[in-house]
Amino acid sequence: MTGVCGCCGALRPRYKRLVDNIFPEDPEDGLVKANMEKLTFYALSAPEKLDRIGAYLSERLSRDVARHRYGYVCIAMEALDQLLMACHCQSINLFVESFLKMVRKLLESDKPNLQILGTNSFVKFANIEEDTPSYHRSYDFFVSRFSEMCHSSFEDPDVRTKIRMAGIKGLQGVVRKTVNDELQANIWDPQHMDKIVPSLLFNLQTGERSESRSPSPLQASEKEKESPVELTELCFRELLGRAAYGNIKNAISPVLMHLDNHSLWEGKTFAVRCFKIIMYSIQSQHSHLVIQQLLGHLDANSKNSATVRAGIVEVLLEAAAIAASGSVGPTVLEVFNTLLRQLRLSVDYELTGSYDGSTNIGTKIIKAHEERQLQEAVIRTIGSFANTLPTYQRSEVMLFIMGKTPVPGVHLPMPSTGSGPESTRMIQVMLLKSLVQVTAGFQTTNMLTALPSSFLEPLLSFSLTEDPEVRMLVLQILLSLIDRHDSRPKFSNISIISDISVLKLKVEKCSRQDNLFMKKHGQQLYRHIYLGCKEPSSGRQHYETLFALLGLLSVELANEEVVVDLIRLALALQDLALSTDEALPVYNRCAVHALAAAYLNLICQLTTVPAFCQHIHEVIEVRQKESPYLLPEDVFIDNPKLPSSLVKVEGDVLFLQSKIAEVLGGSGYNTERLATPYVPQFTDEDRLSKRKSIGETISVQLEMESRNSPEKEERTPAEEITFETLKNAIVDSVGMEEQERERRRRVVEKFQKAPFEEIAAHCGARATLQQSKLNQIFEITIRPPPSPSGTISSGYGQTQSRSVPIYEMKFPDLCVY
């Protein structure tokens, strides 16, 4: 029998004998290296035998696994690994099929050591670059099995850690093997991503830390690789770094789903860490795709709890900060539209206490403080996004937000039932807070184009409201827009400074654009400062902010004409505090006096006119001795010492307009304009905000009606727009505007004060003139044209037509050919 066996053995194929020879009698001796070299040389010499070698090795390995001869199993896998590393020929595909079949056999085993052995072999194979692609190879099993290993719950913690790390390495190998091979099954398909990404996040979550290890996928040390968390993060970064434009969505969707399913938005820490890894790992030009998916997810969770929505918004905030170095993308307004919609929904939820009667979530109790936290998070996120934008886009965003804000007198008020008015007010406050964030640090060289009338006029209309919080927000926005040299902190406190050089103010000559801006909007700004001081509900913070606004106007946008107007405004504020017609409390009167004194002290030193400074300082000295409650040091403090009433404020404690006009006139300033008291213009905003008296409203109506004919029954509510008015609006002709205002004032005064007979005579004369013009027009148009045949007169004054020969007719030259 021995001879027979020897004979049969000699007749076996050579490749089988070479494979058999690599296995020693005792598996502990390991692979027979000399025989392994012979097998490798044979495989390289006869590559067509590779598939048979692989099949035979696979057969032996399956038999050894079944017989629990694990030593021979390890030898077989080592041999396979060496053959794979050595053979890179076109015939390797069939050999790989046998190799993968053996790896699969090991992964299906319930022995952890065999699973780890199979995984290590697969990772080695994944790092091999094949010369020819495979058309029929499938990795579906490996994705599923490695994902399952990532969730291992083996009893021994050390073994469990090794199995999970093997699963992570296996997934990393699958990604490396398939991501760049167009002929393979697309690893980015949802069926694969829904297994890979949650497996990685599960392991990342088990060792969660407060912050991500690094903002970039750096190579970890060998010690760090021993931790599943570090290995998972590296694998996750590698996966995201390989994602192309069209694959970002499939990679991010499982992340959102995992955070939803495990309620991880509310903690914020892990969700923020995940998206920090994502934003730092993907290509920067794809950042906007991640932000877009987060916005869509926020909309999808509109009726979820406030803590979940706040968590998503916090993630958006962090993502926006990282995306600043790349690109927010073409969906800028979509970002702000979504955030503003969430802000409005949050306000509605807070006021109504329900999610629009939703049956599945309506049973949840809405907590007002959680909604407030969400609102603050949305506002911070809006500011974070705005800071990533260039100036021109930020101007568009400002206009966009203003378009969403209910403006007084323009938008119809909400129904008074329920919480309508309160909802409108809260929306105004929230959107204005958003504008405060957007305008923070706003700087532009051309304010006229960056801040058009379509933004400034609605903004300034808010300063007419009675709500002090709204007015305060408007002032903060104005300060951010005007302050271009970070001068605002220098005007934070109202005080009398004897030498303003300590402030180190940066005053530059106004550009042409700044001059045009003040010509167009200066009067509006003065008017709203005046009306802000006039409000009884204004407090210390309002007056301090108004002083800062006056100071910034003087430093940033003041030419000679603006300086004159600001001085006139300050004197008008003094007259306002003295007026007995205004029902201002004593504190407000003292505050306005103090504000005017502090500002005149500032502007006199900016103009550097000695006589002007001397007059201001003299009045301040008198006030320090006699009326300290008219100076800011005694008014703008925690417990101001004020008199019970302001009855006798006169004499040397007042700034004199005549004296100031005289001293400034000697230095070349417009004396006539200085001597004219400032009177705020009244516009349609006052009428719409219902702050004017009935008599003044009628005056405005008379002014508008006087531009039309008295007999005209249908009156137009607005002034006529002609080519000249459009031209004047373009060139900002201040002179024409002043003439128009003076003409209107005379018309209104005439209709208010002139006797009835004079008005009737004026209207009758206009009617007579109009009728005579109409008669002339009718005479021309109604009279028939002369007949070419002419007419002849007959008796009794009658006319009789007569025939005229054609040769006698007189034709115009142009009719003759």
Side-chain angles (χ1 to χ4, degrees), residues 90 338 601:
Q90 294 182 357
T338 301
N601 174 68

Side-chain angles (χ1 to χ4, degrees), residues 318-539:
E318 297 292 339
I322 298 171
S325 60
S327 160
V328 178
T331 57
V332 174
L333 293 183
E334 180 187 345
V335 171
F336 290 95
N337 191 34
T338 301
L339 292 172
L340 294 178
R341 182 166 59 250
Q342 292 299 320
L343 200 59
R344 184 178 291 271
L345 284 174
S346 178
V347 170
D348 291 341
Y349 294 160
E350 180 184 348
L351 293 174
T352 60
S354 66
Y355 296 105
D356 297 331
S358 178
T359 55
N360 55 345
I361 315 180
T363 56
K364 288 189 177 181
I365 300 174
I366 295 179
K367 299 177 181 178
H369 72 278
E370 291 181 354
E371 294 292 343
R372 288 293 175 92
Q373 291 173 359
L374 168 65
Q375 293 157 16
E376 295 299 326
V378 171
I379 291 171
R380 288 197 306 273
T381 306
I382 288 173
S384 178
F385 269 107
N387 290 333
T388 68
L389 302 176
T391 301
Y392 75 94
Q393 277 190 325
R394 201 186 288 200
S395 299
E396 292 178 2
V397 171
M398 289 157 51
L399 279 170
F400 182 75
I401 296 177
M402 183 57 71
K404 299 283 185 180
T405 310
V407 180
V410 177
H411 296 264
L412 293 175
M414 296 181 69
S416 58
T417 57
S419 56
E422 178 62 18
S423 174
T424 302
R425 179 199 166 276
M426 287 185 66
I427 290 294
Q428 289 176 345
V429 170
M430 293 300 167
L431 295 183
L432 288 174
K433 284 183 177 179
S434 302
L435 277 174
V436 171
Q437 294 288 330
V438 173
T439 55
F442 181 83
Q443 292 186 357
T444 178
T445 54
N446 190 349
M447 295 188 68
L448 198 61
T449 56
L451 305 173
S453 301
S454 54
F455 174 78
L456 271 181
E457 290 179 0
L459 176 67
L460 292 175
S461 67
F462 281 105
S463 65
L464 301 175
T465 62
E466 297 178 357
D467 191 330
E469 184 180 5
V470 171
R471 297 202 309 275
M472 190 67 215
L473 291 171
V474 172
L475 290 174
Q476 291 176 357
I477 294 168
L478 287 174
L479 291 182
S480 298
L481 296 176
I482 296 173
D483 184 14
R484 292 176 291 180
H485 295 93
D486 298 325
S487 303
R488 180 177 176 180
K490 300 172 183 177
F491 300 112
S492 57
N493 296 318
I494 307 180
S495 60
I496 303 295
I497 302 174
S498 57
D499 184 7
I500 64 169
S501 61
V502 298
L503 297 178
K504 297 181 181 180
L505 296 173
K506 188 176 181 180
V507 184
E508 297 180 354
K509 186 178 180 180
C510 276
S511 64
R512 179 176 176 272
Q513 289 83 2
D514 290 344
N515 291 334
L516 289 174
F517 177 80
M518 289 306 292
K519 283 182 179 179
K520 188 168 186 179
H521 300 293
Q523 295 299 326
Q524 289 176 294
L525 293 172
Y526 308 148
R527 172 174 174 270
H528 286 80
I529 292 173
Y530 182 89
L531 294 176
C533 292
K534 191 177 178 181
E535 285 292 338
S537 59
S538 292

Side-chain angles (χ1 to χ4, degrees), residues 679-695:
V679 178
Q681 304 172 18
F682 288 103
T683 66
D684 290 346
E685 292 177 355
D686 301 282
R687 183 165 52 84
L688 293 172
S689 62
K690 300 179 181 178
R691 288 179 176 270
K692 295 180 66 179
S693 66
I694 296 177

Side-chain angles (χ1 to χ4, degrees), residues 574 619 622-623 626-627 630 648-655:
Q574 177 179 260
V619 174
V622 174
R623 288 190 178 188
E626 300 179 5
S627 308
L630 300 181
K648 294 182 180 180
V649 179
E650 56 189 7
D652 295 338
V653 299
L654 296 179
F655 303 100

Side-chain angles (χ1 to χ4, degrees), residues 554-588:
S554 308
V555 173
E556 296 282 351
L557 299 169
N559 53 25
E560 183 177 321
E561 183 179 346
V562 172
V563 168
V564 170
D565 284 336
L566 289 171
I567 293 172
R568 291 171 60 218
L569 174 61
L571 294 171
L573 292 178
Q574 177 179 260
D575 294 339
L576 170 65
L578 292 171
S579 174
T580 57
D581 297 336
E582 302 294 339
L584 284 177
V586 173
Y587 174 80
N588 294 69

